[in-house]
Amino acid sequence: MTCAPDSPAGPSDASSPYGPAPSPGARPTRPVRVHHLTRAKERGERLTMLTAYDAVTARILDEAGTDMLLVGDSIGNVMLGHDTTLPVELDEMVVATRSVARATARALVVADLPFGTYEAGPAQALASAVRLMKVGANAVKLEGGRPRVQTVRLLGEAGIPVVGHLGFTPQSVNRLGGFRVQGRGELAAEALVADAVALAEAGAVAIVLEMVPEPVAARVTATVPVPTIGIGAGARCDGQVLVWTDMAGMTQWAPRFARRFGQVGQALRQAAQAYGEAVREGSFPTSEHSFDS
């Protein structure tokens, strides 16, 4: 990601703390930084985040003006064919993060710490996070609340911004008993708010809230000074995140909280079918696609 110094705001970017989203096809020059996230919350500006796992997709989403690209351990489900995120290795996250960062000019690149790379304590988390930062991440994301406070604080002291993740935490799917909404009931809601406050006080720059009742997510959003990024947490978070394949209609099934904003999967299928037909009938390649001797 480009790390050019901030330039003074001019008339064209006066409405946003980090400059306007670029027009289609334009390559922006002013990157989103972590302090812009809090500034956006203070100004009531909604933040956008999408997952990305490769350079081709990252470049498209970045040019579309997405504020944050999450190199999620959801790569396990989405790209690697696993049923959960648990099998994802740090080496796989390093490759994906490097690819996304190389293709990104504006968006803040956030990389997940996969299962087994930070649970042993702050020292393990620091070693894992350093690997992701060295290949281009601008921040790392980890799951859990108050038990992660020391880790968040240590990473922050080392210069590594941390995004927290509360509610349904996919790496704890076995303990949670499956894909279930979290934070229901007063005790659970109180615990979730306490976790969010603890993460913010430890230095987290944002907090993802996944599969949380909307009133609870709204309460967290009003309580903590850092942005909340919702996924299945209602409309009152400071921003939203979706897995890009769900957002773009790449699969036949998508979770209830996702909305398809396109039918990319259908378009890709049609393109592949058209290609196959052209090859079989001999209409591709033609002289236009060939070289003279």
Side-chain angles (χ1 to χ4, degrees):
M1 177 171 168
T2 304
C3 294
D6 287 336
S7 57
S12 63
D13 61 4
S15 62
S16 171
Y18 39 75
S23 59
R27 295 299 287 168
T29 57
R30 192 176 184 188
V32 178
R33 303 178 187 273
V34 292
H35 64 277
H36 295 144
L37 307 182
T38 301
R39 195 180 303 174
K41 179 183 178 87
E42 292 170 350
R43 297 173 64 157
E45 295 164 345
R46 299 290 181 88
L47 293 161
T48 60
M49 175 187 273
L50 288 168
T51 64
Y53 315 105
D54 61 83
V56 173
T57 307
R59 183 177 297 274
I60 293 171
L61 300 181
D62 186 50
E63 289 177 347
T66 310
D67 299 318
M68 292 172 279
L69 294 181
L70 173 62
V71 189
D73 59 0
S74 51
I75 190 175
N77 313 72
V78 176
M79 296 294 172
L80 303 180
H82 300 303
D83 293 331
T84 71
T85 64
L86 299 181
V88 175
E89 300 287 346
L90 182 59
D91 286 344
E92 293 169 324
M93 293 299 301
V94 166
V95 171
T97 301
R98 181 188 291 117
S99 301
V100 169
R102 283 174 172 170
T104 302
R106 175 181 181 271
L108 186 82
V109 177
V110 181
D112 266 339
L113 290 175
F115 179 70
T117 66
Y118 62 96
E119 290 84 351
Q124 183 195 30
L126 178 59
S128 301
V130 164
R131 289 195 62 193
L132 295 172
M133 298 295 287
K134 279 182 173 291
V135 297
N138 304 117
V140 299
K141 182 171 74 64
L142 51 78
E143 298 179 3
R146 281 163 286 181
R148 305 291 179 227
V149 163
Q150 291 184 355
T151 295
V152 173
R153 187 173 290 119
L154 176 64
L155 295 187
E157 291 172 352
I160 301 175
V162 177
V163 175
H165 187 151
L166 297 173
F168 174 70
T169 46
Q171 294 173 12
S172 300
V173 62
N174 292 311
R175 180 179 62 82
L176 298 175
F179 296 81
R180 304 174 63 184
V181 174
Q182 302 296 307
R184 283 178 167 155
E186 188 58 30
L187 289 178
E190 288 287 347
L192 198 148
V193 173
D195 281 337
V197 170
L199 289 176
E201 290 179 345
V205 299
I207 300 172
V208 170
L209 299 176
E210 182 168 358
M211 291 176 63
V212 173
E214 182 171 10
V216 178
R219 182 177 168 188
V220 172
T221 301
T223 301
V224 298
V226 299
T228 58
I229 310 299
I231 177 167
R236 290 187 279 177
C237 294
D238 297 305
Q240 297 292 325
V241 58
L242 283 176
V243 172
W244 86 262
T245 51
D246 292 337
M247 178 277 299
M250 286 288 288
T251 57
Q252 293 182 343
W253 178 88
R256 171 183 171 181
F257 54 73
R259 174 180 165 186
R260 291 186 176 96
F261 289 83
Q263 292 296 336
V264 178
Q266 179 179 340
L268 180 59
R269 188 179 305 109
Q270 291 172 345
Q273 290 172 343
Y275 162 76
E277 292 171 0
V279 170
R280 295 184 189 103
E281 70 184 17
S283 62
F284 176 84
T286 65
S287 58
E288 179 186 354
H289 311 106
S290 304
F291 300 96
D292 295 330
S293 59

